[in-house]
Amino acid sequence: MEATPSNEATAPAPAPAAPAPPAIDQSQVAPVAEQPAEQSAPAAQQEVTASEAPKEEKQAAPAAQLQANPAAQAAQPKPMPVITRDRYNQQSLGVSLNSKVKQSRVLMVGAGGIGCELLKNLVLMGFGQIHVVDLDTIDLSNLNRQFLFRQEHIKKSKALVAKEAAERFNPNIKIVAHHANIKDEEFTVGWFRDFAVVFNALDNLEARRHVNKMCLAANVPLIESGTTGFNGQTQVIKKGVTACYDCTPKETPKSFPVCTIRSTPSQPIHCIVWGKSYLLNEIFGASEDQAAFDHSEDAENAQEIEELKRESEALKNIRAAVGTPEFPKMLFDKVFNGDIERLRSVEDMWKSRTPPEALSFDKVFSEASNAIASKDSVLADDQKPWTLQESLAVFNDSLERLSKRAIDLNKAKGPSDPEPIITFDKDDIDTLDFVTASANIRSTVFGIESKSRFDVKQMAGNIIPAIATTNAIVAGLCVLESFKVLKGEYDQAKEVFLTPFAPARLLAPDRLRQPNSECPVCGVFNASVVVDLSRATLGDIVEGYLKESLGLGDREFSVNNDVGILYDFDETENLPKKLTDLGIRNGSFLTIMDDSDEDTLVNIVLDIEERLLDAAEKPYNAVVEGTPDIPRKPKKAAPPEANGESKTNGHAPAEAPKGLKRSNDDGEEQPFKKAKIAQKSQDDVVLVEDAGGAIVIDD
């Protein structure tokens, strides 16, 4: 429009009902733009004269036209507004919250199913600095839901690849990736303390408990999350405000005694665990995995245990035949014929059970000619359970593949290298085929239903089907709850459950639970002390920091670490020893227990933070100045008094749930019976992940 202002200024003003001028302007401008070079001298002179006209006249002409023609004024292009990257975030969150988000330094632990969705959300919302910690590498099975990863990323670090992929969404965000275990010594309480919010996106119960403990010690809010199948959960955890992850007991995984696995299986999972944890290990792995098979709880079956050990010795001899043509037949006849005949000879074992049927390799092999010929089509079908003959064909083929791998590994082994082994991996097709075939043959022996390779992969790999949509919903809930945390509105935060098949609603929010005063993790007083480990002794901590800075004074108390008691009123020989001599280092925790009978303090968990201090100063320095107010343990309710007639003078205590013992004298709850057995000897059983219950632990 401004290219021809002088021409438009001399034209008469059009009537109000005339068509809008833009089309006219284009028709006027086009001939001028395309006018040939050989234009007449008068026309050229007119253009020079117009260009030399005063600026005031040229500026006034369009204004006069626009005033005379409102339609032309409306058609004038408006200047485009400058759109910043966080314009819509600011409109949605408000200036104050958006500013807090941009300045926040947050930690995300886990870069798997939930982690990929969560990292994308954090980046797009503009969180200023994001640290990602994950020890895992990318597997093929991750690609169906962990959208930040591609085929070329397999075997690479999840944390590093997620950082590279997410940075493309928002180049203004700083992402720091750590390919490491969150339990490593570098991730101390002081390191956690530098974050505004911590997000847990883990599938590991032990790691979740560790992060929960560290966030409580650092007094940093934690947003816990998890999914299992279509169900999900999000929980805000804040020291002294909400319940922590360990305030409620977690369900103990299902476990099976070794004699059930090795002698009397009755379910497909028993045969799968036998193939994975016993047979594969005996032939290609570490013989007799003591972590999975400990016989300490089976003293009443001592004779049976001795027989099982003799089986292992026989398998070691067969192991020497790996790679020979006779190897598959030797192994088959050993585990599916000789061992089964021995089990059948124990008549007392089968009084109430159907005895197993031993198999002959030669007989089954003679019936498997069609299955062997169509082996490729059998292996191509993951969903169909194999027949006995098809299982034998896969058994022989997988043994051939694994034997070749074992021989190649032995050839590449150096003189001082450990003996190479092959372990089960759900994404290793060779080991998966072997476990599936072995488990199905054993299932046939014991009259148990066979499973497809797809089912065995899920069960042997402890896989709970992961749903990408569930991960996305839970990740979104995590970010929404983080906004409330940043504003300090814990009373508005919710514990949200995603239950798509519930009769009520898809998302079921609930008020955050209050802290459990009996919780051994959050029901303590957390403190930190800076220590010069080059010269600090236990006496400096006990006589100086604990008695003076924390105000324990004349109280009787004990100091403990993971190993045991370091100090109490009667054991003072460790006081002159350096902390380093007692195994205490940067990031170590000490637990101080008040032994007073009256006005007893809660346990104190002391975090040790290493730093060089001036030699003229004390070798320790309190992180928080002043004497803190340490809470007291709640007083126990007095038991009801008897009235002399064997009746209680009050309400009878409620009956404990079945399987749960009554409380101790010290008020601590007893674990479930199954949990107690597992604690007594974690190695007596083969542990199998179980997704049941209300605790969600998989991504």
Side-chain angles (χ1 to χ4, degrees):
M1 297 282 295
E2 294 180 355
T4 57
S6 57
N7 294 337
E8 292 178 356
T10 58
I24 300 174
D25 295 342
Q26 291 173 2
S27 64
Q28 292 173 345
V29 172
V32 174
E34 299 174 0
Q35 193 164 358
E38 56 268 23
Q39 58 182 328
S40 62
Q45 183 65 33
Q46 287 179 0
E47 287 187 10
V48 173
T49 304
S51 64
E52 293 176 353
K55 292 182 179 180
E56 293 82 359
E57 181 180 346
K58 293 202 300 186
Q59 293 174 353
Q65 180 195 6
L66 294 176
Q67 289 179 358
N69 188 356
Q73 184 176 3
Q76 281 286 315
K78 297 180 180 179
M80 291 295 294
V82 178
I83 300 179
T84 59
R85 178 176 285 273
D86 68 338
R87 174 186 177 187
Y88 297 109
N89 288 349
Q90 186 163 313
Q91 290 178 349
S92 303
L93 304 178
V95 177
S96 176
L97 179 56
N98 187 57
S99 177
K100 289 181 180 179
V101 168
K102 292 170 66 175
Q103 297 172 15
S104 293
R105 185 173 186 261
V106 299
L107 168 64
M108 188 185 81
V109 187
I114 296 176
C116 283
E117 296 284 351
L118 182 55
L119 182 59
K120 174 255 299 179
N121 292 346
L122 296 175
V123 167
L124 293 179
M125 291 309 304
F127 281 82
Q129 186 177 141
I130 306 167
H131 286 244
V132 182
V133 180
D134 198 310
L135 179 64
D136 203 4
T137 56
I138 299 164
D139 287 329
L140 177 63
S141 60
N142 301 145
L143 303 185
N144 69 331
R145 63 195 182 281
Q146 298 175 19
F147 69 97
L148 295 180
F149 310 140
R150 297 291 182 268
Q151 184 86 21
E152 62 269 21
H153 297 143
I154 291 176
K155 300 302 179 185
K156 294 183 179 180
S157 163
K158 284 187 176 181
L160 298 176
V161 174
K163 170 186 180 295
E164 294 174 2
E167 282 177 335
R168 302 191 192 104
F169 300 158
N170 188 347
N172 297 332
I173 301 302
K174 181 180 180 182
I175 304 177
V176 182
H178 306 267
H179 179 59
N181 190 333
I182 192 61
K183 298 173 69 176
D184 289 347
E185 294 180 6
E186 63 181 297
F187 305 123
T188 62
V189 171
W191 185 78
F192 273 85
R193 198 180 289 123
D194 290 336
F195 296 102
V197 184
V198 175
F199 296 89
N200 247 1
L202 291 161
D203 60 356
N204 180 294
L205 188 63
E206 185 180 356
R208 287 171 183 236
R209 285 177 163 156
H210 177 78
V211 175
N212 176 64
K213 175 183 176 181
M214 299 298 282
C215 287
L216 292 171
N219 196 23
V220 173
L222 168 66
I223 298 181
E224 172 64 51
S225 62
T227 66
T228 176
F230 290 97
N231 298 321
Q233 176 184 358
T234 300
Q235 175 187 3
V236 176
I237 297 172
K238 173 65 174 172
K239 172 73 173 177
V241 178
T242 72
C244 79
Y245 186 73
D246 284 307
C247 275
T248 53
K250 302 297 180 281
E251 186 170 306
T252 305
K254 283 183 179 178
S255 57
F256 304 101
V258 63
C259 285
T260 299
I261 299 297
R262 297 271 291 274
S263 302
T264 56
S266 59
Q267 300 174 27
I269 186 62
H270 297 160
C271 299
I272 293 169
V273 171
W274 174 85
K276 169 191 170 184
S277 298
Y278 170 67
L279 189 59
L280 179 66
N281 280 344
E282 285 296 324
I283 303 302
F284 298 106
S287 177
E288 189 66 15
D289 183 4
Q290 295 300 328
F293 298 101
D294 182 78
H295 310 294
S296 58
E297 201 176 71
D298 296 305
E300 66 274 15
N301 297 322
Q303 182 179 356
E304 173 66 11
I305 297 302
E306 287 301 318
E307 290 291 343
L308 294 177
K309 289 182 178 179
R310 278 195 285 271
E311 285 182 15
S312 297
E313 289 297 324
L315 281 174
K316 288 180 182 178
N317 297 330
I318 294 175
R319 184 172 182 165
V322 167
T324 64
E326 299 80 16
F327 175 55
K329 182 179 186 301
M330 292 173 62
L331 181 61
F332 186 100
D333 283 339
K334 168 70 176 64
V335 296
F336 300 123
N337 186 281
D339 292 348
I340 301 304
E341 290 292 355
R342 184 194 59 77
L343 284 175
R344 286 175 59 90
S345 67
V346 186
E347 296 180 359
D348 291 344
M349 190 180 292
W350 311 110
K351 287 182 178 179
S352 59
R353 301 185 182 98
T354 301
E357 296 293 333
L359 298 175
S360 166
F361 180 88
D362 292 334
K363 183 175 184 299
V364 178
F365 187 80
S366 66
E367 300 169 350
S369 56
N370 291 335
I372 294 173
S374 58
K375 177 190 63 180
D376 293 340
S377 61
V378 171
L379 290 171
D381 191 350
D382 264 2
Q383 305 292 330
K384 175 182 170 292
W386 300 329
T387 64
L388 173 61
Q389 291 73 25
E390 290 171 340
S391 294
L392 176 63
V394 178
F395 179 82
N396 291 344
D397 183 68
S398 60
L399 275 178
E400 183 180 346
R401 284 178 271 152
L402 289 169
S403 297
K404 185 178 184 303
R405 283 172 55 179
I407 292 171
D408 291 342
L409 288 172
N410 276 307
K411 288 180 179 177
K413 182 177 78 74
S416 59
D417 293 340
E419 193 70 22
I421 62 174
I422 299 174
T423 58
F424 177 81
D425 188 317
K426 66 182 184 298
D427 295 315
D428 181 344
I429 192 65
D430 296 343
T431 58
L432 179 60
D433 282 347
F434 176 76
V435 170
T436 303
S438 302
N440 282 343
I441 295 173
R442 187 170 175 84
S443 294
T444 302
V445 167
F446 284 89
I448 301 170
E449 175 192 8
S450 296
K451 290 293 182 179
S452 69
R453 185 169 60 188
F454 179 81
D455 293 331
V456 172
K457 181 176 181 178
Q458 287 187 308
M459 299 168 77
N462 301 327
I463 299 173
I464 301 172
I467 311 299
T469 307
T470 308
N471 293 335
I473 294 172
V474 169
L477 292 172
C478 289
V479 176
L480 291 177
E481 294 302 315
S482 72
F483 295 152
K484 302 171 187 176
V485 169
L486 290 177
K487 293 191 289 185
E489 297 177 351
Y490 291 99
D491 56 333
Q492 300 297 319
K494 304 291 183 183
E495 185 171 2
V496 186
F497 298 89
L498 173 62
T499 52
F501 299 110
R505 51 198 298 186
L506 175 69
L507 296 176
D510 196 3
R511 289 181 300 176
L512 294 176
R513 291 169 286 124
Q514 295 297 308
N516 178 6
S517 60
E518 299 294 331
C519 176
V521 181
C522 71
V524 301
F525 179 80
N526 291 99
S528 297
V529 59
V530 175
V531 175
D532 188 342
L533 290 178
S534 65
R535 55 194 180 95
T537 65
L538 181 63
D540 293 323
I541 299 298
V542 171
E543 301 296 338
Y545 180 74
L546 295 178
K547 291 187 176 182
E548 296 178 8
S549 301
L550 288 189
L552 298 188
D554 296 331
R555 288 179 178 269
E556 292 187 9
F557 59 87
S558 61
V559 178
N560 310 266
N561 66 356
D562 294 336
V563 177
I565 296 177
L566 299 177
Y567 162 84
D568 67 12
F569 186 75
D570 297 321
E571 297 183 16
T572 60
E573 62 272 13
N574 288 330
L575 289 179
K577 295 181 181 179
K578 284 187 176 182
L579 295 177
T580 51
D581 295 337
L582 298 172
I584 300 171
R585 56 187 182 276
N586 184 38
S588 294
F589 286 96
L590 299 178
T591 301
I592 294 87
M593 304 177 68
D594 185 5
D595 297 329
S596 306
D597 295 329
E598 299 290 337
D599 193 34
T600 309
L601 301 175
V602 299
N603 291 350
I604 301 169
V605 176
L606 184 62
D607 164 52
I608 304 296
E609 299 183 11
E610 182 180 10
R611 189 186 308 162
L612 287 176
L613 300 175
D614 194 311
E617 299 178 356
K618 296 178 180 179
Y620 65 88
N621 190 16
V623 173
V624 179
E625 297 295 333
T627 302
D629 184 15
I630 302 175
R632 270 59 176 171
K633 287 185 178 180
K635 293 184 178 180
K636 300 170 189 173
E641 297 179 3
N643 58 11
E645 298 180 3
S646 300
K647 296 180 181 180
T648 57
N649 191 16
H651 296 290
E655 185 178 353
K658 189 175 182 180
L660 188 67
K661 293 185 177 181
R662 293 173 297 171
S663 298
N664 288 346
D665 293 338
D666 60 1
E668 295 182 0
E669 293 184 352
Q670 293 287 342
F672 284 94
K673 290 180 179 178
K674 187 182 291 185
K676 185 175 182 181
I677 292 173
Q679 290 173 359
K680 177 181 177 183
S681 177
Q682 288 289 349
D683 296 334
D684 317 3
V685 294
V686 178
L687 295 180
V688 180
E689 292 283 347
D690 180 33
I695 306 304
V696 289
I697 61 172
D698 245 311
D699 71 354

